Amino acid sequence: MKALITGITGQDGSYLAEWLLEKGYKVYGMVRRSSTENFERINHIKDDVELVQADLLDELSLIKTLESIQPDEIYNLAAMSFVPTSWSQPVLTGEFTAIGVTRLLEAARHICLKSKFYQASSSEMFGKVREVPQTELTPFHPRSPYAVSKVYGHYITVNYRESYDMFAVSGILFNHESPRRGKEFVTRKITDGVARIKLGLSRELRLGNLESERDWGYAGDYVKAMWMMLQQDNPEDYVIATGKSHSVRQFLKASFDCVGLDWEEYVVQDPRFIRPAEVDHLIGDAAKAKKQLGWEPEISFEELVRRMVEADLDRWNSFRG
């Protein structure tokens, strides 16, 4: 089996590549041409995957890539994925995260119609939620350019499935974290800050809204659900979530507890980090995935936080020699 992963150098892409390699796949990773390459997350498997240069902004490069690989499965994980950046770069976010999906689907339709296609949808699409918890049938109310772009990507995937009989599915994944999460995301910003404070490298941690609640799971668990969706007889969309929500405040406390410190002594709320339109409470109902895929999250919230804090402590200790 051959699989193509866009966004292979990201958090999810690296875990998915590991999972597919364990399953015996030939894994191809799509990367953009860049003057500075960042392969940190896949350095340990770089010799086991084949990297190909292509770009979601350039349909011809996608066509050539699919022609040469003829993949059995396509996982579209690439996106402009950091919500705050989508406010400062809304047009570019739309090009990558919305129109980019269409370019890849259109290329697949012409080159490898029978390939199975996975689109990375997001719980951010629910935005100003209409019901709690959120299911596959909950209406979307996106609250950022990123979320709006993800809604487009979601529905264009549905459209190609229904119009061209493609095996194309979307996984509506709720927040999923790991030690490989980028430092710009609040969870990693917290655990990295905790490690720096514990080691005497910093005195404070500045954050925005502490009351936002998210359904946080472990990325390594969630990529398995992506693969499971493509092993089904019929293409369907699934919510992937733990069904438990925690506030940023609770994430803070759990992180500082790992190193025996009181978070209130170090955290400063900074209005610069408040979103123009906030998403207050996301919590998913993954009953369909549990019933039809047999998927269950394995890593608890507390274990996730502990792993992230310990990984950041190890990183900073290694930097200090």
Side-chain angles (χ1 to χ4, degrees), residues 43-253:
N43 273 336
H44 61 297
I45 56 171
K46 196 175 174 188
D47 293 338
D48 300 317
V49 302
E50 185 168 331
L51 300 180
V52 293
Q53 285 191 359
D55 198 313
L56 288 178
L57 300 184
D58 179 12
E59 189 171 349
L60 183 58
S61 71
L62 301 176
I63 290 171
K64 289 181 176 179
T65 296
L66 294 182
E67 281 178 338
S68 66
I69 297 173
Q70 293 292 327
D72 299 289
E73 297 173 359
I74 301 168
Y75 296 87
N76 185 37
L77 311 186
M80 181 76 81
S81 60
F82 186 47
V83 174
T85 299
S86 76
W87 291 105
S88 59
Q89 297 181 317
V91 176
L92 187 61
T93 297
E95 284 287 348
F96 275 114
T97 310
I99 305 301
V101 185
T102 312
R103 293 190 186 99
L104 188 54
L105 280 165
E106 187 68 1
R109 178 171 78 90
H110 287 289
I111 304 303
C112 48
L113 184 63
K114 296 303 179 183
S115 296
K116 294 184 174 182
F117 184 95
Y118 173 86
Q119 165 62 14
S121 288
S122 167
S123 60
E124 288 283 333
M125 299 188 306
F126 295 118
K128 192 174 182 180
V129 298
R130 311 287 184 88
E131 63 183 9
V132 178
Q134 293 89 52
T135 73
E136 292 81 4
L137 300 178
T138 302
F140 299 137
H141 188 145
R143 298 266 282 173
S144 68
Y146 167 77
V148 172
S149 299
K150 278 294 186 182
V151 171
Y152 177 99
H154 180 87
Y155 277 126
I156 200 67
T157 302
V158 172
N159 187 260
Y160 270 67
R161 176 171 73 221
E162 295 177 349
S163 302
Y164 303 116
D165 195 29
M166 294 177 69
F167 194 110
V169 305
S170 290
I172 307 173
L173 272 57
F174 280 65
N175 293 64
H176 45 289
E177 318 297 317
S178 76
R180 299 180 194 173
R181 191 55 138 159
K183 289 183 182 180
E184 68 272 22
F185 292 88
V186 67
T187 51
R188 183 70 198 292
K189 184 177 180 180
I190 290 171
T191 60
D192 180 72
V194 166
R196 287 170 55 84
I197 289 169
K198 178 64 176 178
L199 297 173
L201 301 172
S202 181
R203 294 183 179 181
E204 66 177 22
L205 175 59
R206 291 183 170 269
L207 296 170
N209 184 4
L210 304 186
E211 309 312 321
S212 289
E213 295 186 32
R214 294 291 187 272
D215 184 330
W216 277 304
Y218 173 56
D221 289 341
Y222 283 41
V223 299
K224 297 175 185 177
M226 300 176 186
W227 175 79
M228 290 176 174
M229 291 178 209
L230 297 193
Q231 312 315 308
Q232 304 306 300
D233 293 331
N234 299 306
E236 297 183 37
D237 304 326
Y238 295 87
V239 162
I240 303 299
T242 69
K244 300 175 182 177
S245 69
H246 296 84
S247 66
V248 174
R249 189 182 298 273
Q250 288 173 307
F251 198 102
L252 270 172
K253 184 178 187 308

Side-chain angles (χ1 to χ4, degrees), residues 289-308:
K290 292 177 181 179
K291 181 180 180 181
Q292 294 183 208
L293 304 179
W295 178 84
E296 292 273 0
E298 297 177 14
I299 303 299
S300 68
F301 173 77
E302 293 76 17
E303 173 66 11
L304 169 65
V305 173
R306 184 189 65 78
R307 288 188 182 192
M308 292 179 68

